[in-house]
Amino acid sequence: MGGESAKSYTLEQILTTALHQQQAIALWRLPLQTEVQACISFAPQKMSAIPALETSPAGFLFCPFVTDGDEPHIFLKADLHYSSHTKQLLPAADAPEALVNSFTAALDQPETRTSAAWPIPVHTDHFKGRNEETFTAAVSLAVDAIRAEAMEKVVLSRINTTPLPSAFSLINAFEKMLQAYPNAFVSLVAIPGIGTWMGASPEILVSVDQQQIFKTVALAGTQPLCEDGSTANAIWRQKEIEEQGMVERYVLSCFKKLRLREYSEVGPRTVIAGNLMHLRTDFKVDLKEVDFPTLGTDMLRLLHPTSAVCGLPKEPALRFILNHEGYNRSYYSGFLGPVNSSDGSYQFVNLRCMQLLQHEAVLYAGAGITGDSSPEKEWQETKHKLQTMLKILSEF
């Protein structure tokens, strides 16, 4: 880009230019940070399996719930990278020069400062939400299967399709999420032919930071935030404690499969995520002391889909979901995040999210079902979780 790299751009310029040029883009902000980053990929790679993190170029991964289903795993190589701190757009060394020049020239064109259509999925006929009656019936069926010992736990989800407010703006919605959810991984992904997703996820799947510290969490159990906004008075029922314990044991079983013994474990403790509280246990491995260079990828492949979004044991729970949930989750409860960025690699579970259609938003929420579940309470839990994105839409 020559002298162009010293120019300053706004996040809105970067996003609207990518949409006008129909280039794939991901925007994100890590929890408790202020820097918003973006990457533009000129040729998104569609893969049939989860790629290796360690050998990957810098970019952004966007993966579906079902690892071997119809939706591909998508890698957005960072041909262009933007930071809100520097306000500069930097090309990768191997980015195609003609496309880089075309993009930077478009940044300065008046027409690319106007809003453009975001990508929508090719098929939009399967966004039919379940009502309370059909959802609670599926939960009752799950409780019967669990009590019959067909499985220990299953996570059932549903969608809520709602009209987009007339004043809705993609960049404004993203900025509202940044402000509302400082503790979450906030993201916006727009990929031509795939669609546009945005969300504020509370759950890390795996991360390996610049200090070579590997992390994962066991997050489960949900209740509304206490009125005083603190966790001091949180009281957990046996059902939620057991649910969180299952996720914890699942993480430990993955460590065991890899014969990994050197890890630290802190929790469970109560954490706040938006308008909700969860139980969370943190696991950490120092890869400078433990010789396990592929731990990030190995754990990603073993963990996903975790018992927090699928169930236990994984196979019967997944079968139950595919047979009884009544819709295709697509990229909901899959995972997403930066790979080999300046911060490291961070993959989050795609929760508290919505997918944008032309005039509607499809919101997603799920609840963990155990033998003690009450169908009505699980319906209420999904209603609480839907508020994360409904709150953003209500501000327009």
Side-chain angles (χ1 to χ4, degrees):
M1 274 163 54
E4 295 287 317
S5 60
K7 278 197 171 183
S8 294
Y9 300 104
T10 65
L11 196 59
E12 185 171 13
Q13 275 178 290
I14 301 295
L15 176 61
T16 53
T17 302
L19 295 178
H20 274 283
Q21 292 224 318
Q22 297 187 326
Q23 300 290 6
I25 184 169
L27 278 60
W28 71 92
R29 188 215 59 204
L30 292 171
L32 303 171
Q33 291 201 6
T34 55
E35 183 184 29
V36 176
Q37 297 180 66
C39 81
I40 291 108
S41 183
F42 297 133
Q45 290 172 265
K46 294 182 180 179
M47 294 164 285
S48 57
I50 297 170
L53 301 180
E54 294 79 17
T55 54
S56 170
F60 192 94
L61 202 50
F62 190 60
C63 295
F65 169 62
V66 179
T67 51
D68 53 0
D70 295 334
E71 282 84 10
H73 301 265
I74 300 170
F75 180 67
L76 305 183
K77 178 184 165 293
D79 288 314
L80 294 168
H81 177 266
Y82 174 82
S83 162
S84 66
H85 281 181
T86 64
K87 298 196 175 345
Q88 288 180 17
L89 189 66
L90 298 174
D94 59 350
E97 195 175 351
L99 291 172
V100 171
N101 292 339
S102 165
F103 192 92
T104 50
L107 279 165
D108 295 319
Q109 299 303 313
E111 60 267 24
T112 54
R113 290 180 195 162
T114 59
S115 59
W118 49 80
I120 61 170
V122 180
H123 303 292
T124 58
D125 52 354
H126 62 280
F127 295 117
K128 301 287 179 278
R130 291 200 139 186
N131 59 25
E132 185 172 358
E133 189 183 348
T134 53
F135 180 80
T136 52
V139 173
S140 296
L141 206 60
V143 170
D144 290 344
I146 291 164
R147 288 177 180 170
E149 299 185 356
M151 53 191 170
E152 283 182 71
K153 171 194 171 180
V154 66
V155 178
L156 288 180
S157 69
R158 66 182 181 96
I159 54 176
N160 177 10
T161 303
T162 185
L164 282 172
S166 55
F168 180 83
S169 145
L170 198 55
I171 188 70
N172 289 351
F174 181 72
E175 286 171 346
K176 285 177 193 294
M177 288 197 309
L178 293 175
Q179 289 164 4
Y181 305 117
N183 299 338
F185 174 73
V186 174
S187 63
L188 165 58
V189 182
I191 305 171
I194 298 295
T196 304
W197 290 73
M198 56 200 311
S201 175
E203 185 172 352
I204 186 87
L205 185 56
V206 303
S207 68
V208 181
D209 66 17
Q210 289 299 78
Q211 283 70 49
Q212 287 296 292
I213 304 293
F214 166 91
K215 289 179 184 170
T216 187
V217 304
L219 185 85
T222 303
Q223 62 173 293
L225 184 59
C226 296
E227 280 183 21
D228 64 358
S230 88
T231 60
N233 297 316
I235 297 168
W236 293 97
R237 294 178 302 158
Q238 189 63 24
K239 185 249 178 193
E240 283 111 8
I241 294 167
E242 282 179 9
E243 200 186 333
Q244 203 274 338
M246 284 181 195
V247 182
E248 210 171 291
R249 290 196 297 277
Y250 177 68
V251 173
L252 293 172
S253 73
C254 293
F255 283 155
K256 201 171 177 181
K257 280 179 187 168
L258 297 173
R259 296 188 170 85
L260 179 80
R261 294 182 184 86
E262 301 87 357
Y263 57 85
S264 71
E265 180 180 347
V266 177
R269 58 200 172 91
T270 304
V271 295
I272 296 170
N275 58 329
L276 301 171
M277 295 188 294
H278 304 287
L279 282 168
R280 172 172 149 166
T281 300
D282 292 76
F283 298 91
K284 196 159 73 171
V285 179
D286 189 339
L287 295 174
K288 297 187 296 295
E289 296 174 4
V290 180
D291 185 21
F292 211 130
T294 61
L295 183 62
T297 301
D298 292 347
M299 281 297 284
L300 193 57
R301 289 173 178 169
L302 281 175
L303 284 169
H304 180 71
T306 72
S307 55
V309 297
C310 179
L312 275 174
K314 189 188 287 190
E315 288 72 23
L318 182 57
R319 243 188 343 265
F320 190 92
I321 289 167
L322 298 178
N323 290 337
H324 299 287
E325 206 164 55
Y327 81 105
N328 175 8
R329 286 190 188 185
S330 181
Y331 290 89
Y332 164 66
S333 68
F335 59 91
L336 73 171
V339 178
N340 290 327
S341 71
S342 56
D343 304 295
S345 296
Y346 292 81
Q347 297 302 305
F348 288 80
V349 185
N350 195 15
L351 300 172
R352 314 291 193 274
C353 61
M354 61 182 166
Q355 183 177 16
L356 298 180
L357 306 183
Q358 197 170 353
H359 303 294
E360 295 172 308
V362 183
L363 283 64
Y364 297 77
I369 315 302
T370 68
D372 298 326
S373 285
S374 146
E376 291 70 31
K377 280 185 178 163
E378 303 303 346
W379 173 262
Q380 287 302 322
E381 182 172 317
T382 61
K383 281 181 80 171
H384 287 310
K385 288 175 176 173
L386 288 169
Q387 289 306 315
T388 306
M389 289 295 109
L390 283 171
K391 178 179 187 284
I392 300 301
L393 294 177
S394 73
E395 289 184 24
F396 287 93

